[in-house]
Amino acid sequence: MKELVVISGKGGTGKTSLVASFAALAGRVVLADCDVDAADLHLVLDPENIKQEDFSGGGRAEVIPEKCSACGKCLEVCRFDAVSFDGPRTSQAERTFRVDPISCEGCGVCAYYCPEKAIRFEPVKNGEWFISHTRFGTLVHARLGIAEENSGKLVSLIRKEAKRIAQEQQQDLILIDGSPGIGCPVIASLTGAQQVLIVTEPTQSGLHDLKRVFELTRHFQSQTYVCVNKWDLNPGMTKEIQDFCNANQGIWAGRIRYDKAVVKAQLARRTLPEITSAGIVEDIQGVWKIMKEQMQ
């Protein structure tokens, strides 16, 4: 079983459109949308949900006022400024302590050290994950709650489910729409992956972001490919990016032109190969041919 992870140094480079196009060209695959902080692959694939589960990546502290003796130990040990001395009055204290649920990082230290056992620490719902049918195969995707943490754990769960489904369906390829940047969800998307395709743009900031994420893929010893989206907006910078790729043992996967067909496809909730066979699709077919040959 092969995993192809498509990532980028920043959001908006076109990786999701590329993954959706790869799915159309591949015909039948298992897909995983690991960009859980801003999942949008489902907008193009128009999935039918067949399973939905809550996701809990940790707990959250809550003071039980009736048990609080206002000793202040929770305030002392909290390193996230989540504890304040403005809780309700009780029979044993004029004021009690309170934990701000937004500021709480879910470490559980306050509950551990509370001498009165007056802090409740229970799992909380951080988001939801789904298994869905699409016209190109099964999609595993998720929705993380607003301002929720532990997206790395959710990404790991999505990948695990995608592998399980691929084994059940005897599919030999999983297409993964990874997260942008170099943070926890990207690391969770990359760990153990054989092939990684970095999508970048022909700008100075695009090259800068490419270098950062390139170091990350090198750390995980993933076979790294690079393609430039909207290359014709700055051919000189595209050449500079290609030179960097070749000089750092990356594999050049090609370049993709700027094409207004991308907007038309998005508005129609279709992949690019479904609405045209010319222009940008010819470029995507070239990149897919290289990736497919390397994965065989």
Side-chain angles (χ1 to χ4, degrees):
M1 184 194 306
K2 297 284 187 179
E3 287 181 292
L4 171 58
V5 185
V6 183
I7 59 174
S8 59
K10 58 175 280 296
T13 61
K15 63 178 178 58
T16 299
S17 295
L18 193 58
V19 169
S21 296
F22 284 171
L25 295 173
R28 197 74 182 172
V29 293
V30 174
L31 296 124
D33 191 348
C34 291
D35 189 4
V36 296
D37 291 284
D40 54 5
L41 187 56
H42 63 283
L43 299 178
V44 179
L45 300 184
D46 197 19
E48 177 187 351
N49 293 346
I50 58 175
K51 181 179 180 180
Q52 178 176 339
E53 296 283 348
D54 290 341
F55 167 71
S56 176
R60 188 162 292 142
E62 180 184 0
V63 175
I64 305 171
E66 294 77 16
K67 293 185 178 181
C68 180
S69 63
C71 69
K73 190 64 179 180
C74 54
L75 180 64
E76 178 186 337
V77 298
C78 181
R79 293 294 177 266
F80 303 104
D81 296 324
V83 179
S84 57
F85 193 34
D86 59 357
R89 179 180 178 177
T90 65
S91 59
Q92 54 180 335
E94 287 292 324
R95 283 186 298 170
T96 54
F97 285 89
R98 180 182 63 86
V99 177
D100 181 2
I102 295 178
S103 301
C104 178
E105 290 289 329
C107 68
V109 171
C110 58
Y112 181 84
Y113 281 103
C114 178
E116 307 295 338
K117 304 301 179 184
I119 298 179
R120 182 186 296 116
F121 189 75
E122 297 177 346
V124 293
K125 177 182 175 180
N126 301 116
E128 300 168 314
W129 63 276
F130 313 88
I131 297 176
S132 303
H133 282 313
T134 77
R135 55 193 181 277
F136 304 121
T138 303
L139 169 66
V140 187
H141 53 123
R143 179 171 55 231
L144 197 65
I146 297 173
E148 294 291 352
E149 300 291 338
N150 296 312
S151 56
K153 288 185 178 180
L154 182 52
V155 168
S156 296
L157 172 62
I158 295 301
R159 286 187 64 192
K160 180 180 178 181
E161 286 295 316
K163 289 179 182 178
R164 180 187 62 79
I165 292 169
Q167 289 174 345
E168 287 181 355
Q169 299 179 356
Q170 297 183 337
Q171 297 284 349
D172 57 3
L173 177 60
I174 301 174
L175 286 177
I176 299 176
D177 184 7
S179 299
I182 58 173
C184 289
V186 186
I187 293 172
S189 299
L190 290 177
T191 306
Q194 300 93 342
Q195 279 85 22
V196 178
L197 174 62
I198 303 174
V199 183
T200 188
E201 297 173 328
T203 62
Q204 284 290 348
S205 61
L207 177 57
H208 172 269
D209 294 336
L210 169 65
K211 290 178 179 178
R212 293 202 312 159
V213 75
F214 201 93
E215 286 297 317
L216 189 61
T217 62
R218 178 180 294 173
H219 172 79
F220 287 104
Q221 299 179 343
S222 301
Q223 196 168 22
T224 305
Y225 305 80
V226 176
C227 76
V228 178
N229 192 22
K230 296 174 281 191
W231 75 270
D232 46 340
L233 298 183
N234 194 335
M237 183 55 65
T238 299
K239 178 64 166 55
E240 189 173 340
I241 292 173
Q242 184 174 0
D243 291 343
F244 167 81
C245 175
N246 295 333
N248 289 272
Q249 299 180 328
I251 302 174
W252 180 250
R255 52 192 190 180
I256 300 171
R257 75 191 75 178
Y258 172 79
D259 195 326
K260 293 182 179 179
V262 174
V263 177
K264 294 179 181 178
Q266 290 176 341
L267 291 174
R269 301 187 69 154
R270 290 291 181 267
T271 65
L272 283 158
E274 290 179 286
I275 68 166
T276 182
S277 59
I280 189 173
V281 173
E282 296 174 338
D283 298 338
I284 294 174
Q285 287 173 334
V287 175
W288 174 243
K289 181 180 178 182
I290 291 174
M291 301 305 303
K292 190 175 181 180
E293 289 174 351
Q294 293 291 333
M295 288 186 292
Q296 290 177 346

